[in-house]
């Protein structure tokens, strides 16, 4: 069975500071990994995804994530955050089919001026 | 514009009064799914559909029904809503070249009194 753990429910950072949102997964099969962002009162939007190939994945809005198979992690990073990055971020894992995607519990990123 | 739409966006109802939340996508996607989002729990899958007339249970199907009579529509039915179904509901679709990326609707906030 697959599962996803987001270690931090809330992450406060100052504007222009770097941020890392942590995600660990467990799976007995090959996985696809995703990060979604949810802005206030909106649906989820895909930030980036890892399917295969390079373990460093670049997404929208300056975010990137690194797939680490040995540590079963897929942490999300941004070198300098902006007020507009305030949102909730969800890590997700799936197998070869999109029929079953497991979401983490989410990390709320709050940016302080 | 490619999108997933949901109606209504907000709904307050009373225990036991049947309701339907509609979901429609214009991307000709084969796969559609319903999730509920609750604080601290992330998104949990209710039901999904791999194609017309093909539906299956997700992780939390109790108290819900779905149907897939047309490719574009995937309504969620609560025959006898209860207060524990108060939640934020999202519909999602995927398919074609983006089969492993889910596109989400804007969400329906349901309150059952």
């Amino acid at each position: 069975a697959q599962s996803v753990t987001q270690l931090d429910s809330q992450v406060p950072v100052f504007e222009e500071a770097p941020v890392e949102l942590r995600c660990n997964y467990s799976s007995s099969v090959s996985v696809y990994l995703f990060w979604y962002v949810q802005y206030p009162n909106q649906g989820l939007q895909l930030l980036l995804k890892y399917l295969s190939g390079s373990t460093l994945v670049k997404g929208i809005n300056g975010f990137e994530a690194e797939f680490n198979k040995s540590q079963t992690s897929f942490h999300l990073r941004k070198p300098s955050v902006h007020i507009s990055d305030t949102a909730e971020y969800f890590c997700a894992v799936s197998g070869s089919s999109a029929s079953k995607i497991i979401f983490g519990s989410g990390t709320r990123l709050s940016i302080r001026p | 514009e490619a999108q997933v739409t949901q109606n209504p966006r907000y709904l307050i109802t009373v225990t036991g009064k049947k309701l339907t939340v509609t979901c429609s996508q214009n991307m000709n996607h084969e796969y559609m799914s319903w999730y509920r989002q609750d604080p601290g729990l992330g998104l949990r899958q209710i039901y999904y559909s791999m194609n017309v007339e093909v539906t299956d249970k997700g992780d939390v199907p109790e108290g819900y029904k779905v149907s897939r009579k047309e490719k574009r529509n995937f309504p969620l039915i609560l025959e006898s809503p209860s207060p524990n179904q108060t939640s934020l509901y999202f519909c999602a679709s995927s398919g074609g070249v983006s089969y492993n990326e889910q596109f989400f609707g804007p969400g329906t906030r349901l309150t059952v009194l």
Side-chain angles (χ1 to χ4, degrees):
Chain A
Q2 297 170 328
S3 67
V4 177
T5 301
Q6 292 184 244
L7 298 165
D8 306 298
S9 59
Q10 294 188 60
V11 174
V13 295
F14 287 104
E15 195 172 14
E16 298 184 5
V19 69
E20 178 181 82
L21 306 184
R22 297 180 292 170
C23 172
N24 287 88
Y25 69 92
S26 67
S27 177
S28 57
V29 297
S30 298
V31 297
Y32 296 153
L33 294 157
F34 308 84
W35 275 99
Y36 283 85
V37 60
Q38 184 181 28
Y39 298 107
N41 299 314
Q42 294 186 27
L44 277 73
Q45 177 184 357
L46 183 69
L47 261 184
L48 50 79
K49 60 185 176 183
Y50 171 79
L51 305 180
S52 64
S54 173
T55 57
L56 183 62
V57 180
K58 293 189 183 299
I60 61 172
N61 301 338
F63 284 92
E64 64 181 30
E66 185 158 18
F67 170 58
N68 188 319
K69 189 174 183 179
S70 62
Q71 296 187 6
T72 61
S73 68
F74 192 55
H75 301 332
L76 181 70
R77 302 185 183 99
K78 186 170 183 178
S80 177
V81 296
H82 189 267
I83 291 286
S84 60
D85 294 322
T86 297
E88 189 154 20
Y89 293 79
F90 292 92
C91 182
V93 62
S94 77
S96 58
S97 165
S99 66
K100 192 67 176 176
I101 294 184
I102 306 297
F103 285 85
S105 56
T107 297
R108 191 172 298 276
L109 178 62
S110 59
I111 313 296
R112 301 169 176 173
Chain B
E1 179 188 355
Q3 60 183 346
V4 179
T5 57
Q6 295 178 228
N7 282 292
R9 294 288 314 279
Y10 303 90
L11 178 60
I12 300 174
T13 189
V14 295
T15 299
K17 186 176 181 181
K18 181 179 178 180
L19 65 91
T20 299
V21 183
T22 64
C23 173
S24 183
Q25 49 92 7
N26 62 2
M27 295 168 280
N28 201 35
H29 283 168
E30 295 80 21
Y31 173 82
M32 297 185 74
S33 182
W34 276 103
Y35 296 87
R36 61 177 289 172
Q37 182 182 9
D38 301 290
L41 297 177
L43 278 77
R44 294 178 292 168
Q45 190 180 54
I46 302 171
Y47 269 95
Y48 64 93
S49 169
M50 298 299 288
N51 215 324
V52 175
E53 301 292 1
V54 180
T55 64
D56 208 347
K57 296 178 180 178
D59 296 316
V60 288
E62 294 77 21
Y64 305 95
K65 284 176 56 178
V66 293
S67 69
R68 187 92 180 272
K69 293 183 170 54
E70 304 168 281
K71 197 172 187 180
R72 63 182 291 126
N73 297 322
F74 190 45
L76 179 69
I77 303 157
L78 284 72
E79 294 270 5
S80 182
S82 61
N84 64 12
Q85 293 177 299
T86 293
S87 187
L88 180 58
Y89 291 86
F90 288 101
C91 180
S93 73
S94 65
V97 296
S98 302
Y99 74 93
N100 50 31
E101 174 187 346
Q102 297 208 10
F103 293 83
F104 283 83
T108 296
R109 186 167 293 281
L110 172 65
T111 301
V112 183
L113 302 175

